[in-house]
Amino acid sequence: MNEKERVESLNQLQARLEFFRDLGVEFLVSPRKKAEKSQPAEAENPLLIAGSFSGSPASADGEEWERLIRKIMSCQACPLFKGRTQAVPGEGNRQARLMFVGEAPGRDEDLQGRPFVGRAGQLLTKIIQAMGFSRDEVYIANVIKCRPPDNRTPRPDEVKACSPYLLRQIELIRPRVIVSLGKVATDFLLQSPKSMSELRGNFGEFQGIPVMPTFHPSYLVRNEGNKEIKKMVWEDMKKVLKLLES
Ligand code: URA
């Protein structure tokens, strides 16, 4: 590593530590022993989707995933397909114990075909890292797989049309715990009339899987100076960690 790279990596470390401090993190979770972690990630690979991947699917689940991803990529079940660059199925470890569910792809996600890669995504990545995981150890998906125009909130008919995809993803992954990010994901999973402020921080349940509702990272980005909101999110994530360790 040369001097410039060293300075850059120190700057990155400083930024991360400052973020952890803002979150109210009193400790850094040490990386768990590999054995305790989920199986290695088999991220959704656009090459695999396009059929140019030379290996054959390793299991029935592998074939099922391929079918599912192909369906999502070519879906025309609601009008959102007309405005997409590409659908964003989700990515990460298909045997993850921890799954994050967001709302819908934004501009960056639509362009890259990957969930949570814009500003909110960078924040989510930091939260995941603060929990002691990397992005490819968890699974990240959205309720809606295509970008709504101008990032508007998805309409109920769009959520309904897209719902089989997330339902199947959850069925295939069977995570130990799901974190629902924001109102759309929380409404989808918990079907509660309560507000986010009332729901966050308390486990609900979706098909027997504990669901922790928390604020959407975009809300944190919009309220950047508000450390209380970040702290609340970190409190929620600590509960998730506790459950994962139990
Ligand atoms: N917001 C979401 O809900 N999902 C993304 O993938 C990006 C931003």
Side-chain angles (χ1 to χ4, degrees):
M1 197 187 277
N2 63 31
E3 187 57 22
K4 190 164 167 260
E5 288 166 338
R6 207 169 15 247
V7 170
E8 200 162 301
S9 89
L10 279 173
N11 286 343
Q12 278 173 359
L13 180 64
Q14 186 182 3
R16 191 167 298 165
L17 288 171
E18 280 170 8
F19 176 78
F20 290 162
R21 187 198 55 205
D22 285 356
L23 277 177
V25 179
E26 311 98 12
F27 60 93
L28 289 182
V29 183
S30 62
R32 288 179 190 74
K33 283 177 278 167
K34 278 287 169 212
E36 288 173 22
K37 290 192 171 182
S38 312
Q39 296 298 305
E42 189 199 342
E44 260 109 50
N45 181 340
L47 293 176
L48 190 146
I49 296 155
S52 55
F53 182 67
S54 58
S56 59
S59 62
D61 261 11
E63 283 175 23
E64 184 64 32
W65 271 108
E66 272 196 82
R67 249 197 311 274
L68 178 62
I69 303 297
R70 225 176 274 125
K71 265 194 191 168
I72 295 172
M73 299 310 276
S74 59
C75 181
Q76 301 194 353
C78 82
L80 291 182
F81 83 91
K82 292 180 197 155
R84 74 179 173 220
T85 307
Q86 59 199 309
V88 181
E91 69 179 19
N93 185 347
R94 293 168 180 177
Q95 277 121 39
R97 298 179 68 226
L98 175 56
M99 179 170 183
F100 291 84
V101 177
E103 182 176 316
R107 186 175 154 275
D108 296 304
E109 291 78 18
D110 171 75
L111 290 173
Q112 294 187 40
R114 299 181 57 211
F116 282 100
V117 289
R119 266 192 87 192
Q122 284 157 23
L123 192 50
L124 177 64
T125 303
K126 284 183 183 170
I127 293 168
I128 291 169
Q129 288 168 344
M131 294 173 81
F133 296 104
S134 62
R135 271 179 73 110
D136 58 11
E137 287 174 315
V138 303
Y139 199 89
I140 307 172
N142 285 305
V143 173
I144 293 278
K145 310 302 187 194
C146 297
R147 182 191 182 198
D150 301 320
N151 300 342
R152 66 156 167 74
T153 304
R155 293 195 310 244
D157 57 310
E158 293 158 353
V159 172
K160 191 168 174 215
C162 217
S163 64
Y165 301 132
L166 179 61
L167 292 176
R168 190 71 187 122
Q169 285 173 311
I170 295 173
E171 211 168 62
L172 285 168
I173 298 167
R174 286 302 298 175
R176 174 79 180 88
V177 54
I178 299 174
V179 174
S180 61
L181 302 163
K183 180 124 182 72
V184 170
T186 302
D187 281 354
F188 181 87
L189 293 167
L190 298 184
Q191 309 267 312
S192 168
K194 292 185 183 166
S195 69
M196 265 320 286
S197 297
E198 290 171 291
L199 290 170
R200 70 140 279 273
N202 299 301
F203 280 109
E205 202 181 283
F206 177 78
Q207 296 182 353
I209 302 169
V211 174
M212 173 56 73
T214 197
F215 294 125
H216 194 286
S218 305
Y219 182 63
L220 270 67
V221 170
R222 283 198 303 274
N223 294 276
E224 207 166 359
N226 190 331
K227 291 184 185 169
E228 281 316 303
I229 301 175
K230 284 184 187 163
K231 279 188 186 159
M232 284 190 248
V233 171
W234 183 243
E235 287 305 314
D236 302 345
M237 295 308 100
K238 281 201 285 193
K239 291 181 188 170
V240 169
L241 284 174
K242 206 163 172 198
L243 188 137
L244 283 172
E245 280 156 15
S246 65

